Amino acid sequence: MIDLSINDDVAHVVLNAPDKLNALDEAAIVELDLAYQTAERAGVRALVLSGEGRAFCAGRNIAGVDPRTDDVLGYLGDLVTPLLQRMSRFPAPTFAAAHGACLGVGLGLLIATDVVYVADTAKIGSPFANLGATLDSGGHALFVERLGAHRTLDLIYSGRLMSGVEAVAGGLFSQVFPAAELTDLTVQAATRAASGATQAFLASKALVQALRDERLGLWQSMSDETAAQAALCATGDYREGFAAFQEKRKPSFTGRA
């Protein structure tokens, strides 16, 4: 159910089980992890994640799951969390195009992606109270950080789903587009990034993740930025960028260290 294609240094990973709203069982999580490993080995310079059909990803596929014997620790702890960590560490800019339902693990996939574009028709929230379950896959951290505690608990208690427009207005994701244009615009953004200064992008990615995960202060962040800039001085893209500026031409970046 996971498709992977690579063109012009851009990998495109597609969740392709539209009859299940791209809900992910254990086998699909493993397959998705392998797709990211394959894209990484191929040395792509950008990656796009999207979903086929009416939804991006409706979360975990619980069809046939017996709640009395459900190994939720194995599913979330041993499969989902390592996948999201791999996605977050992917050594190139990553983009997601999300439409329809983006719930549970599906929301986690977006949290683990660098840039998220959503359709105006997207549905984002925590409808799990009806299952006697709670939001997982990083959803609490995202909502509290961007929306605050009160709005987070309002969404959880009510089960109300935000639209893509509301999610972007609330600072959850990057931009909102009409559903019919979403994937094309996301691929275009990834293609532009793939021709950019990959090592500089990765330096910023690491800085942003450290600020988010380690709650660094201003001065520590500035120190880390200085170290990153010094390291970039040794890259070919740094030299090419300066040369192109001085020669008043468009740079031609290779993305290599």
Side-chain angles (χ1 to χ4, degrees), residues 88 141 145 205-216:
S88 183
E145 179 183 65
K205 180 172 180 170
L207 289 163
V208 168
Q209 290 181 349
L211 281 164
R212 179 195 65 196
D213 297 340
E214 301 172 27
R215 296 294 190 264
L216 301 180

Side-chain angles (χ1 to χ4, degrees), residues 29 33 72-89 105 108-109 112 136-138:
I29 293 290
D33 190 279
V72 70
L73 289 177
Y75 179 79
L76 291 174
D78 296 339
L79 294 176
V80 172
T81 298
L83 167 65
L84 300 184
Q85 290 171 336
R86 180 184 300 282
M87 292 173 61
S88 183
R89 294 192 304 261
V105 177
L109 300 180
D136 56 43
S137 304

Side-chain angles (χ1 to χ4, degrees), residues 59-229:
R60 182 185 183 188
N61 184 355
I62 60 172
V65 172
D66 185 341
R68 295 167 298 183
T69 58
D70 183 18
D71 182 13
V72 70
L73 289 177
Y75 179 79
L76 291 174
D78 296 339
L79 294 176
V80 172
T81 298
L83 167 65
L84 300 184
Q85 290 171 336
R86 180 184 300 282
M87 292 173 61
S88 183
R89 294 192 304 261
F90 191 81
T94 60
F95 297 77
H99 69 288
C102 310
L103 307 172
V105 177
L107 179 61
L109 300 180
L110 301 183
I111 294 170
T113 302
D114 299 342
V115 177
V116 178
Y117 297 150
V118 297
D120 46 8
T121 58
K123 295 179 177 64
I124 299 151
S126 177
F128 303 107
N130 289 334
L131 291 174
T134 190
L135 186 61
D136 56 43
S137 304
H140 285 91
L142 175 72
F143 286 171
V144 171
E145 179 183 65
R146 309 293 172 81
L147 303 176
H150 293 108
R151 291 170 70 187
T152 295
L153 290 175
D154 182 24
L155 285 170
I156 291 171
Y157 293 169
S158 68
R160 185 178 68 83
L161 300 180
M162 292 181 287
S163 69
V165 173
E166 186 180 357
V168 170
L172 292 179
F173 302 121
S174 307
Q175 297 188 60
V176 59
F177 296 113
E181 303 173 18
L182 176 67
T183 300
D184 286 346
L185 291 172
T186 306
V187 170
Q188 289 173 24
T191 302
R192 287 192 296 271
S195 65
T198 305
Q199 297 306 311
F201 292 157
L202 293 180
S204 287
K205 180 172 180 170
L207 289 163
V208 168
Q209 290 181 349
L211 281 164
R212 179 195 65 196
D213 297 340
E214 301 172 27
R215 296 294 190 264
L216 301 180
L218 172 64
W219 306 118
Q220 181 59 54
S221 179
M222 286 180 63
S223 176
D224 290 348
E225 288 170 340
T226 300
Q229 197 75 287

